[in-house]
Every structure is written in C-alpha cells, then in structure tokens.
Amino acid sequence: MPAPNSSTWNRRSLLRAALGVTAGGALAACGSNNGRAGGGSGKGLVQYFHAYGEPGTEQAIRRYAKAYQGANVTTQWITGADFESKLFATLLTDNAPDLFEFHPQIQLVKSGQVADLTDIVAPVKDDFNAADIASHTVDGKIYGVRMLDDPQFFFYRKSMLEKAGVGVPQTLDELIEAAAKLTTGKVKGLFLGNDLHAVINPLIWSAGADTLDDNNRIAYHTDGVVEGLKKMRTLFTSGSLLLGAPADYWDPSAISQGLTAIQFCGMWAMPQLQQALGDDLGVFPFPKVTDAGKPSVYNGGWSMFVNAKGKNVDAAKEYVKWLWIDQKRYQEDWALSYGFHIPPRTSIAASAGKLKSGLAAEGVKLFNDFGHFDRIGWTQAMIKATEDVFADCVRKGGDPEAALDRCDKAVNTELKKLFG
C-alpha cells in the first residue's frame, strides 16, 4: 500500500472503514450515476483513487487513462483522510464512480455493489498470485483485480543493532529485549505505528493462529494469541516503544530520521529508505510469538472494482481489462516505478529486475516464505473488534481472555449475518 501524502492518515483506516456507512453489512441501492455512458457514446468513465504518497503516481494513473481509446476516463484523485468516506458516500448517489480501488470485502459482493469480473480474469487467472485470486473469490466468482501486492515487515538500522550488540530478533521475546537495548535518550528501540493496529494480524499469524479458518469460523482465540497479547502489553509499558510519532507506520520517516532503530513499515518505502540510509538497512518478518508459531508478513495492497450499480458496467469492465489485464507495461510501471511493490501477475514479478537483488530480493523472499493475505470474509466490524482487544489488553492492561470473549461475540454476530 503505497504511502499517502497526508501524515495524519492511517493506512489501515481504509480497510477498517470499508462500508462504514453500512453497519448492517449491505450498501443501500445506488441510483443512476449521472447518465454517464462509456465507449462509443463520446462520454466517459470516472474512477476513484486515493492519493498515493509516491511522487509521480497521480500522473501515471492519468497517463494510463489518457492512452485508452475506448472511453474518456476521468480520475478523481482523493487526498487526505477522506477517501473511504467520500467513496462509500458517493456510491449511494447519482454521482457514483464507475470503477474504484479498494480492498476485497465480502459486503461489497453480497450487497451487489461490485461486478463479477470472472470473465475478464479467468483467461489469465493462472498468471495471478493464487492467494490474490482466492482473496477476491466468492462462490467461485472473482470480484476485483489486484493491482499491487504490498508486503509489510520490519526495517532496521544495521549500525544501531551492531552498536548495541543486538542480533536480528527471531522471536517476539527477542524483539522486546532488542527494543529495550536499542532505546537511548533520543532514540526509541521500536516503532509499530501510533495506534498499533498494523501489527494485530501479524501477531495472530505469528502465534500460529488466523483470523478465520477456511470455513469462516473464528481462528484467532488461542492460547498463543493470549500469550502474544500479554507480551505486547509488556512491550507497551516498557518505555522502549515509540508512540506519538509525527507520521504513522506507513511513512518511513520515524526510522529514516533517527527516531527509532526498528520500524514496522511496507516494502513501498524501500527506495525512499535506501536513498536516506544507504546500506545501513535490513528487513525481517514479524517474529514468531510462541514455539508453535512462525514468522509472518502481512500482504496489503489495492484492487480495482467495477460499480455494478452504475450505468456503465460493460464499459468499465472493458477499461479494467485493458489496463489491469492486457497492459503489462503499465502494470509493471505502476508496481515498480514509484516505490517497490510486488506485481500480482507472476509473469511480471518474475521479470522485475528491480526486485531481483539486494534488499528488494530479501523483501520478496519474506513475502514468498511468510506472506499472509486478507480473507474476504474478515469484515470491518471484525477488524474493529480485534482493535478493541488491543485497546483493552495492550493499552489498558485488561484480561486477554475476557477481551477475546467479547471479540468472539462481535465476530460471531457478523459471521451469522454473512453466512447464516
């Protein structure tokens, strides 16, 4: 998930706020989208993008659209913290976009808000990362086309670890110990983001658990996760965790400006960090929490969806096929020219020279060895429930079992709505 250009914007807020206007789990019916027609009508399509932080991204998206001959494609480039609220509010109006980027969310499918794209994806399905296909599939139909895969892991300053006599942490206990040894008067040992939400799922995975299982049942309420929550509380109260940084975890400035020795961030920031720190930079996954667990890497990213309730569904699908299926040179440009992202198309990823050596190759290996993808059934309400667990147990010192019991109740309510 490439960094936005607002230091106040929490990257995970989009996923957490998905369908926030529909607490019941379904979007209201969308009206006509202002009579816009596609293709041969001479009118055009409107697409919504959030404002990526890397220079050149807006110009690239507009350049791709201008090159398309099938319709006049207009881009709404939405800055600041308003993307999710504007998108989902606008989907309820006559001015709804024809296509938009977001993350896979099952409510979008069950409400009929997004179009089935199986027909355009199926011919190249085997050239996509299989996990990306799975995370966009409901009842055998594919909704959305992945544009970027964004692994998230820890960056660390090699010189700081060497000076403190600290090795690369292999367990959460070692990470806590390292953070303490790396903390000095001016530098905190570790930065996980200001609200800690970015590491909730990695903690679950590294404890040997999951959010849901393959049958959409709770999989996070385990002894390993309880142990992880207790360890996170120890870390939170240790004084070695950077809190209240000027920008959140998605922005690499905390480590590049010397505020911390280790920062959780994303591969998108790698070129910027290499420019600032040179070779004084390493990466490692979220370490295992328990002996039964193993390291994990969260794969974020963005996907393109077609508004199924608009008037230009066929024209929008044609544009999505042209850009995100047929135009491999644009897909490679989008993934590699404005930050480092892994192309979801395996053929493009395999030929991506920028990812074949050095730190980038290490990041790709972490992604391949330890990567986890969002489950389409893991909804905004469920994400909020786990955030409440962190707020209770990690920040306030509450009992993990009691907090997870409350989380179970909220998640099961959502599961019943969605799956019966």
Side-chain angles (χ1 to χ4, degrees):
M1 301 179 197
N5 61 4
S6 168
S7 63
T8 63
W9 188 48
N10 185 328
R11 170 167 310 280
R12 286 286 290 178
S13 71
L14 289 191
L15 189 56
R16 292 199 307 273
L19 302 173
V21 297
T22 58
L27 285 168
C30 180
S32 65
N33 68 354
N34 212 25
R36 292 189 301 270
S41 69
K43 296 186 179 179
L45 303 171
V46 174
Q47 60 179 352
Y48 270 26
F49 275 77
H50 82 281
Y52 290 69
E54 294 91 340
T57 49
E58 180 179 3
Q59 292 80 1
I61 286 296
R62 296 188 187 279
R63 185 173 69 252
Y64 308 154
K66 187 176 180 180
Y68 183 57
Q69 299 298 310
N72 178 26
V73 182
T74 301
T75 302
Q76 293 290 326
W77 191 260
I78 300 170
T79 60
D82 299 329
F83 179 74
E84 74 279 3
S85 58
K86 183 170 183 178
L87 170 62
F88 287 101
T90 308
L91 283 173
L92 306 178
T93 73
D94 289 346
N95 294 315
D98 300 291
L99 55 158
F100 57 89
E101 65 168 359
F102 206 66
H103 314 285
Q105 286 273 324
I106 199 167
Q107 302 101 314
L108 286 167
V109 176
K110 287 186 171 290
S111 65
Q113 187 67 61
V114 293
D116 175 7
L117 304 183
T118 307
D119 57 334
I120 67 173
V121 178
V124 294
K125 177 181 176 181
D126 292 343
D127 191 39
F128 273 88
N129 186 303
D132 278 323
I133 295 294
S135 67
H136 292 72
T137 300
V138 178
D139 296 330
K141 296 180 179 180
I142 303 169
Y143 299 85
V145 178
R146 193 68 149 186
M147 300 182 295
L148 296 168
D149 280 331
D150 280 332
Q152 299 173 24
F153 35 63
F154 287 103
F155 289 90
Y156 67 94
R157 296 283 299 273
K158 291 180 178 180
S159 60
M160 290 185 175
L161 269 65
E162 290 171 3
K163 183 178 180 180
V166 172
V168 176
Q170 304 298 311
T171 67
L172 182 55
D173 287 331
E174 290 180 7
L175 181 63
I176 294 170
E177 294 171 3
K181 292 179 180 179
L182 291 163
T183 298
T184 66
K186 296 181 179 180
V187 179
K188 293 292 186 180
L190 181 64
F191 182 49
L192 302 177
N194 288 326
D195 59 14
L196 310 183
H197 292 163
V199 299
I200 294 176
N201 281 9
L203 178 78
I204 292 171
W205 295 320
S206 290
D210 204 342
T211 52
L212 301 173
D213 65 17
D214 291 339
N215 294 311
N216 291 305
R217 297 174 301 195
I218 287 172
Y220 57 80
H221 195 156
T222 67
D223 291 343
V225 171
V226 169
E227 183 177 342
L229 289 167
K230 292 177 179 177
K231 291 178 180 181
M232 289 297 295
R233 173 62 181 175
T234 298
L235 177 61
F236 183 77
T237 58
S238 67
S240 55
L241 197 62
L242 175 64
L243 299 169
D248 213 339
Y249 83 99
W250 44 260
D251 188 311
S253 59
I255 188 169
S256 65
Q257 295 178 7
L259 302 179
T260 186
I262 303 173
Q263 175 175 345
F264 190 81
C265 194
M267 190 167 167
W268 59 80
M270 196 173 281
Q272 184 177 345
L273 280 171
Q274 288 178 311
Q275 184 176 5
L277 302 175
D279 294 332
D280 188 23
L281 197 63
V283 293
F284 65 92
F286 196 98
K288 66 179 184 178
V289 173
T290 64
D291 290 339
K294 70 175 187 177
S296 67
V297 169
Y298 173 64
N299 177 53
W302 293 90
S303 306
M304 184 55 61
F305 298 91
V306 170
N307 177 14
K309 296 182 178 181
K311 286 189 173 181
N312 304 313
V313 174
D314 289 342
K317 286 178 65 174
E318 289 173 8
Y319 178 66
V320 171
K321 179 181 183 299
W322 176 83
L323 179 53
W324 300 113
I325 300 294
D326 298 338
Q327 301 299 315
K328 285 190 173 184
R329 64 191 177 101
Y330 289 150
Q331 294 162 40
E332 181 175 5
D333 180 69
W334 185 237
L336 297 168
S337 296
Y338 316 98
F340 283 172
H341 317 266
I342 298 177
R345 301 286 292 274
T346 55
S347 60
I348 300 176
S351 63
K354 292 181 180 180
L355 303 181
K356 288 186 177 296
S357 62
L359 198 65
E362 292 182 39
V364 172
K365 188 175 189 307
L366 293 181
F367 169 82
N368 290 332
D369 290 348
F370 305 118
H372 289 262
F373 293 65
D374 286 315
R375 290 184 178 270
I376 196 169
W378 188 245
T379 69
Q380 183 272 337
M382 300 175 195
I383 294 166
K384 177 63 167 61
T386 58
E387 291 172 357
D388 289 344
V389 170
F390 251 56
D392 186 346
C393 302
V394 178
R395 289 185 173 274
K396 299 178 182 178
D399 175 54
E401 284 287 0
L404 287 170
D405 285 341
R406 289 190 292 273
C407 185
D408 291 349
K409 184 176 180 180
V411 171
N412 277 323
T413 296
E414 284 299 297
L415 291 173
K416 187 175 182 180
K417 290 179 186 176
L418 292 168
F419 304 108

